[in-house]
Amino acid sequence: MITTDICIIGAGPVGLFAVFEAGLLKMRCHLIDVLPQVGGQLSEIYPHKPIYDIPGYPTIRAQELIENQMKQIEPFKPTFTLGERVDGLEKQEDGSYIVISSEGTKIYCQVVVIAGGLGCFEPRKPEIVNLAKYERKGIDYMVKNPESYRDKKIVIAGGGDSALDWTIYLTDIAKEITLIHRSDSFRGAPDSADKVYELAQKGRINLLLSHNLADVHGAENLSHVIATNKLKEEVKMEADYFIPLFGLTPKLGPIAEWGLNIDKNAIEVNTMDYSTNVERIYAIGDINTYAGKLKLILCGYHEAALMAQSAFKYVYPDQKLSFKYTTVNGINTF
Amino acid sequence: MEDIIQIEIEDRDGTTQVIEVPTDVNLSLMELLKASEYEVLATCGGMALCATCHVQIKSGAENLPEPQDQELDMLDTLPDADNDSRLACQLRLTNENEGLSIKIKGALQ
């Protein structure tokens, strides 16, 4: 079990800055992030993009900002659990919490700070009524074990790289493979697209272009996938497995089950201190919402500072908090 | 009147209304829809990352800016996208867009 004062969920720029603000008040932090590296969106999505609205930096690359922030919080010795998603939360009798990850890692803390940004990226699901009925009974949203498709009839849907790549890869494994794509051309890598056209010409795969998914059927397990063309004419295909590959979409994930007040995928907070409706749980950065909310890194930093002042009373219930400037006191390392 | 255009918006339930849009404040269609109290998640805040501001262009597509790669890649991930689909966050409206007509399609969860 990892023991800390504050467990921060999300290691993006706002989560990282929360370590600094907590550190000034002698509160230790442990950060957990589903991504394999720190930096959140900045490192994962736009590391090379310049950011123009960080005070003191006319322009700074996203990745550089994260590197600077890591240096800034070094004195406060934060600890990290990366590549794991937060799944569970157990409230203790004295009000403290144990945060539990997807891999079973446990973090004992006095305060939980959710700095989850966009949330977790989960596979995007097509809006088909019966889809959920066959999840894990023939419908997979990612290919975990290619061997499980050996000699099976597979239908893949999507037009991106992963749909193309898996279609090519599974051609030699599956008994029969069909690729459905809503458009008549692919935006994935040209090499992969050429390969798919070639496989279709040789009759090794079925290629259904300009078709949209309509429905899935089956008894206990999936048996058929139905697609329609632009004239709404139906094509019904036998399928042992259906793999819709439509990229990833941000979701709140398991946090949505914690009894927090949620409005449109964001956590409602009190702007006095960015606390949620659940005691000792705060939400800062893009994941929260309040009247006048702006999704700016800048605003997340401010939210982190106020959160830390408020969280102090749970970590040091017997001490009086006195506000200090870094220019007067510097920073005291742990 | 200069710098005000009218666009027609059809909601998911088919209700349609015309709204007036100022074109001198550089708003995106996504920001306008939110400001007009339409249900649009816009989870990613306009980075073309989530596709929750998916709209169908019913008329006036020819006066909109050409989609960039990021938007096309994202549209490609939408199972219900079509050739007349765009991401509202990538559409900055100008006086050229008078009479634009759109239908809101973005996911609500």
Side-chain angles (χ1 to χ4, degrees):
Chain A
M1 175 112 70
I2 296 160
T3 299
T4 189
D5 296 326
I6 299 179
C7 178
I8 300 171
I9 301 167
V14 173
L16 294 176
F17 192 66
V19 175
F20 182 86
E21 288 295 330
L24 289 180
L25 305 179
K26 289 215 165 3
M27 297 186 287
R28 288 171 182 275
C29 295
H30 182 85
L31 297 94
I32 176 165
D33 199 303
V34 70
L35 293 170
Q37 75 281 327
V38 300
Q41 279 183 65
L42 277 67
S43 304
E44 181 71 11
I45 296 166
Y46 52 95
H48 305 298
K49 272 198 172 176
I51 306 177
Y52 300 102
D53 60 353
I54 305 296
Y57 291 96
T59 170
I60 183 166
R61 278 186 318 108
Q63 188 56 39
E64 201 182 346
L65 177 64
I66 293 302
E67 284 161 14
N68 285 358
Q69 285 196 234
M70 286 297 283
K71 197 175 292 179
Q72 189 175 28
I73 61 177
E74 249 172 36
F76 303 121
K77 301 186 172 56
T79 47
F80 295 89
T81 298
L82 297 174
E84 296 183 25
R85 187 178 80 172
V86 169
D87 275 1
L89 184 70
E90 287 176 1
K91 194 176 174 88
Q92 308 303 294
E93 273 189 21
D94 64 355
S96 60
Y97 282 109
I98 293 176
V99 174
I100 303 158
S101 87
S102 51
E103 310 299 307
T105 305
K106 290 187 171 184
I107 302 147
Y108 175 72
C109 59
Q110 296 302 321
V111 172
V112 176
V113 173
I114 303 168
L118 297 177
C120 310
F121 279 80
E122 296 177 4
R124 186 191 307 279
K125 301 178 181 182
E127 292 191 8
I128 296 176
V129 179
N130 291 317
L131 205 68
K133 196 170 153 186
Y134 302 109
E135 285 176 4
R136 289 181 302 280
K137 293 176 182 171
I139 294 184
D140 293 338
Y141 297 108
M142 52 183 70
V143 178
K144 283 186 177 157
N145 175 18
E147 270 308 311
S148 59
Y149 305 116
R150 185 160 295 278
D151 300 324
K152 303 287 186 196
K153 292 181 176 174
I154 313 284
V155 175
I156 293 177
D161 282 334
S162 87
L164 292 167
D165 293 347
W166 282 118
T167 299
I168 295 163
Y169 187 88
L170 293 173
T171 298
D172 294 331
I173 292 175
K175 180 178 178 183
E176 187 180 292
I177 191 158
T178 304
L179 174 62
I180 306 172
H181 181 39
R182 66 171 181 86
S183 158
D184 58 2
S185 61
F186 290 103
R187 287 192 43 75
D191 291 357
S192 310
D194 290 344
K195 180 96 185 160
V196 162
Y197 289 130
E198 191 188 326
L199 289 169
Q201 270 171 347
K202 288 181 178 166
R204 307 239 358 244
I205 65 167
N206 307 316
L207 189 55
L208 270 190
L209 296 176
S210 300
H211 277 68
N212 286 71
L213 291 169
D215 208 351
V216 287
H217 281 285
E220 183 59 27
N221 290 314
L222 175 81
S223 66
H224 291 86
V225 175
I226 294 165
T228 53
N229 66 9
K230 300 299 173 198
L231 302 169
K232 300 290 174 205
E233 294 162 334
E234 285 193 353
V235 184
K236 192 170 182 179
M237 292 153 283
E238 282 185 17
D240 299 310
Y241 286 98
F242 173 45
I243 313 168
L245 294 170
F246 291 112
L248 300 171
T249 183
K251 296 273 185 215
L252 266 184
I255 290 169
E257 313 300 318
W258 291 0
L260 301 163
N261 291 338
I262 290 170
D263 176 34
K264 294 195 192 77
N265 255 346
I267 301 167
E268 293 180 346
V269 289
N270 176 347
T271 51
M272 281 282 293
D273 57 1
Y274 302 95
S275 56
T276 66
N277 60 305
V278 179
E279 194 176 29
R280 297 187 186 224
I281 302 184
Y282 295 79
I284 56 178
D286 279 1
I287 205 156
N288 75 14
T289 183
Y290 50 86
K293 169 72 183 178
L294 291 178
K295 287 188 179 181
L296 294 175
I297 295 172
L298 181 77
C299 300
Y301 291 163
H302 155 86
E303 293 163 10
L306 268 62
M307 171 284 294
Q309 299 284 318
S310 171
F312 184 86
K313 62 180 173 288
Y314 299 118
V315 178
Y316 297 111
D318 306 331
Q319 291 186 29
K320 192 174 177 315
L321 178 62
S322 56
F323 178 73
K324 296 189 179 86
Y325 291 108
T326 55
T327 43
V328 177
N329 293 283
I331 53 173
N332 299 307
T333 59
F334 290 167
Chain B
M1 190 119 102
E2 275 183 24
D3 297 330
I4 295 267
I5 58 169
Q6 292 194 324
I7 63 172
E8 185 187 73
I9 296 163
E10 183 187 337
D11 208 345
R12 295 175 186 81
D13 60 5
T15 53
T16 300
Q17 68 165 343
V18 172
I19 61 169
E20 291 204 328
V21 177
T23 54
D24 55 352
V25 281
N26 199 27
L27 281 175
S28 73
L29 179 59
M30 175 272 280
E31 289 158 343
L32 276 163
L33 292 174
K34 283 177 81 83
S36 306
E37 308 291 322
Y38 281 99
E39 286 259 352
V40 179
L41 283 182
T43 309
C44 76
M47 303 277 293
L49 290 176
C50 70
T52 53
C53 65
H54 176 202
V55 295
Q56 177 191 348
I57 310 296
K58 288 157 65 183
S59 68
E62 63 283 359
N63 298 322
L64 291 167
E66 284 292 309
Q68 302 293 300
D69 274 354
Q70 174 93 21
E71 181 184 354
L72 289 168
D73 287 346
M74 204 26 95
L75 285 169
D76 224 21
T77 67
L78 286 174
D80 60 339
D82 228 315
N83 295 337
D84 51 5
S85 289
R86 294 295 304 261
L87 296 183
C89 69
Q90 301 303 298
L91 305 174
R92 305 258 160 213
L93 299 181
T94 68
N95 292 339
E96 303 276 291
N97 303 116
E98 174 66 47
L100 176 74
S101 173
I102 64 132
K103 179 178 171 65
I104 297 175
K105 290 187 77 173
L108 281 173
Q109 47 184 334

